[in-house]
């Protein structure tokens, strides 16, 4: 089947903020066999925006050029060695349904990452993480194709340069890579990560003393459903700002100047992560509304679209929040979603 090309498409249903941006051209990639023809099409109408589930994007305007919607599906077990099971999923596969499938195969490792919206292909892009686990910890490798010249490349974890909500795919201005498939190393024996207090509390409340991976996934889903705003009810992209990582000494100074500021371990002993939500809340933004662009009533970190906000209005609100946090704390917040 040839790649499907659509013209003048509303992207409202294709991004979880529910922003009514328009794509002049949208190409749907449904089969790896269509890659060469797809890349030729893209070259005729640059630039290209690769779109998965649209849950980590803010359209501040209509994207120029072509939107490439990745709809490659499928997942499979590749083999077992030394107690590890290698599984592969195509980039367009829904992330949560893939996690659920691994659990149904009796595989452990991805349970804490249940119910994160979006696609498998985007998971390594920002090294998704939740409840004490980052996807890089279960990652084996991925296949990608250069949108510049169509060459294929396999990336291992080192090539991906994973960091906190970060990877080379977000950082590098080099060739634009289209991720087509991702492989994970999982186990048949439990490798549970239960450090997260809220997760332990949920399991305790359910009367589960020694959980299996499925019970951990169920607990994670219950917490997420209770806590996080559902994009089907109110447009959002999850956390809008990353938690800033600073030198430990600086973090201590800030915590002394602002008693109660939560500090978390950074990626190295020399650094600490600050709570962006706490700082935004302290600046008085929780529940704030500028027309239809707002800050969630219960989650200072989640910007919301109350109905008809444009991406530019959400971005303007985010800019005001960043300025006030910079004034009060001297910290520059960085957006987590990709701003188009
Ligand atoms: C309610 C809610 C809760 C969330 N909770 C979490 C959470 O707990 N932890 C977390 O880490 N994130 C969370 N997120 C953010 C989001 O779910 C993840 O970042 C997810 O991985 C994005 O997937 P996507 O397919 O929607 O990506 P998109 O939004 O479509 O794209 C995001 C970026 O990845 C690029 N991209 C997408 N697919 C590919 C591909 N195949 N090849 C190359 N580049 C690609 C895009 O070009 C873009 O730059 C949450 C979002 C929402 C709405």
């Amino acid at each position: 089947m040839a790649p499907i090309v659509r013209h003048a498409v509303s992207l409202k249903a294709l991004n979880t903020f529910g922003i009514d941006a328009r794509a002049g051209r949208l190409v749907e990639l449904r089969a790896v066999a269509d890659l060469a023809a797809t890349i030729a099409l893209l070259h005729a109408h640059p630039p290209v925006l690769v779109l998965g589930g649209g849950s980590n994007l803010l359209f501040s305007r209509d994207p120029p050029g072509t939107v490439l919607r990745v709809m490659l599906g499928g997942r499979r077990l590749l083999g077992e060695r030394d107690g590890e099971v290698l599984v592969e999923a195509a980039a367009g596969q829904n992330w949560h349904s893939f996690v659920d499938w691994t659990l149904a195969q009796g595989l452990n490792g991805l349970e804490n990452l249940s119910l994160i919206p979006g696609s498998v292909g985007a998971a390594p892009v920002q090294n998704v993480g939740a409840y004490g686990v980052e996807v890089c910890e279960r990652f084996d490798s991925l296949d990608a194709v250069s949108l510049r010249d169509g060459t294929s490349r396999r990336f291992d974890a080192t090539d991906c340069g994973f960091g906190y909500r970060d990877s080379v795919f977000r950082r590098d201005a080099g060739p634009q890579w289209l991720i087509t498939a991702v492989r994970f190393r999982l186990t048949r024996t439990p490798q549970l990560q239960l450090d997260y207090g809220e997760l332990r509390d949920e399991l305790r409340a359910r009367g589960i003393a020694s959980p299996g991976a499925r019970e951990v996934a169920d607990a994670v889903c219950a917490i997420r459903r209770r806590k996080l705003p559902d994009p089907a009810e109110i447009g959002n992209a999850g956390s809008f700002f990353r938690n800033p990582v600073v030198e430990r000494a600086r973090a201590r100074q800030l915590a002394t100047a602002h008693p109660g500021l939560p500090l978390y371990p950074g990626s190295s002993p020399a650094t600490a992560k600050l709570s962006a939500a706490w700082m935004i809340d302290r600046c008085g933004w929780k529940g704030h509304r500028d027309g239809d662009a707002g800050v969630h009533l219960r989650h200072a970190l989640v910007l919301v679209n109350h109905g008809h906000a444009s991406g530019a209005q959400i971005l303007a609100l985010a800019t005001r929040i960043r300025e006030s946090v910079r004034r009060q704390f001297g910290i520059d917040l960085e957006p987590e979603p990709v701003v188009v």
Side-chain angles (χ1 to χ4, degrees):
M1 209 202 323
I4 294 167
V5 184
R6 301 184 197 281
H7 297 272
V9 181
S10 166
L11 299 169
K12 193 172 167 65
L14 302 183
N15 71 100
T16 58
F17 254 126
I19 303 294
D20 196 9
R22 291 208 147 244
R25 289 167 65 88
L26 183 137
V27 177
E28 293 179 356
L29 175 64
R30 292 169 183 263
V32 172
D34 294 339
L35 264 172
T38 302
I39 290 171
L41 272 173
L42 300 176
H43 280 170
H45 300 275
V48 179
L49 171 73
V50 179
L51 180 67
S55 64
N56 207 30
L57 281 175
L58 175 63
F59 289 111
S60 67
R61 59 177 178 138
D62 292 343
T66 309
V67 172
L68 174 61
R69 189 171 176 214
V70 183
M71 301 176 77
L72 303 169
R75 63 267 199 276
R76 58 189 176 141
L77 294 175
L78 291 178
E80 305 201 23
R81 208 176 59 196
D82 303 331
E84 283 189 329
V85 183
L86 198 59
V87 294
E88 181 182 81
Q93 182 76 41
N94 173 271
W95 173 260
H96 177 68
S97 70
F98 168 63
V99 172
D100 197 51
W101 173 81
T102 63
L103 293 167
Q105 308 304 304
L107 299 176
N108 298 263
L110 297 178
E111 54 279 356
N112 294 46
L113 304 177
S114 297
L115 218 58
I116 294 180
S119 60
V120 166
V125 173
Q126 80 144 358
N127 184 20
V128 292
Y131 300 96
V133 173
E134 287 184 326
V135 83
C136 63
E137 296 166 59
R138 312 292 188 246
F139 177 88
D140 176 76
S141 54
L142 63 79
D143 295 333
V145 174
S146 161
L147 292 181
R148 190 191 284 164
D149 58 16
T151 51
S152 303
R153 180 171 160 195
R154 177 172 286 219
F155 287 73
D156 65 18
T158 309
D159 300 328
C160 290
F162 289 121
Y164 163 60
R165 300 292 186 274
D166 199 24
S167 74
V168 288
F169 304 104
R170 282 192 66 132
R171 279 194 304 269
D172 275 11
Q176 192 180 1
W177 293 103
L178 165 65
I179 297 166
T180 53
V182 188
R183 284 170 290 276
F184 303 88
R185 276 185 222 191
L186 306 179
T187 55
R188 296 242 173 241
T189 48
Q191 46 174 341
L192 301 181
Q193 168 52 266
L194 302 175
D195 286 351
Y196 217 85
E198 218 178 342
L199 182 52
R200 282 199 309 271
D201 293 347
E202 178 69 25
L203 288 163
R204 202 174 302 123
R206 292 169 169 238
I208 301 169
S210 33
R214 174 62 78 180
E215 287 157 319
V216 172
D218 289 346
V220 166
C221 290
I223 300 170
R224 293 186 72 102
R225 287 201 177 97
R226 211 168 43 228
K227 250 183 69 174
L228 294 174
D230 180 355
E233 286 163 19
I234 186 163
N236 74 90
S239 303
F240 195 88
F241 296 103
R242 296 186 226 198
N243 285 324
V245 178
V246 299
E247 296 292 316
R248 189 151 268 287
R250 172 108 192 275
R252 273 199 297 266
Q253 272 171 6
L254 279 165
T256 309
H258 304 280
L261 170 65
L263 304 183
Y264 311 112
S267 43
S268 74
T271 60
K273 221 186 269 170
L274 310 175
S275 167
W278 192 90
M279 292 188 280
I280 296 169
D281 192 14
R282 274 300 148 114
C283 293
W285 288 104
K286 214 187 252 178
H288 178 91
R289 198 169 163 166
D290 284 344
D292 272 357
V295 179
H296 195 275
L297 205 56
R298 280 177 289 120
H299 304 284
L301 212 47
V302 179
L303 300 197
V304 292
N305 177 3
H306 285 284
H308 300 286
S310 68
Q313 286 166 329
I314 303 261
L315 194 58
L317 174 60
T319 304
R320 291 180 59 206
I321 293 171
R322 286 178 80 170
E323 282 166 2
S324 70
V325 168
R326 197 180 301 127
R327 264 197 313 275
Q328 192 156 332
F329 297 93
I331 292 287
D332 196 16
L333 294 180
E334 281 179 44
E336 189 176 302
V338 173
V339 177
V340 179

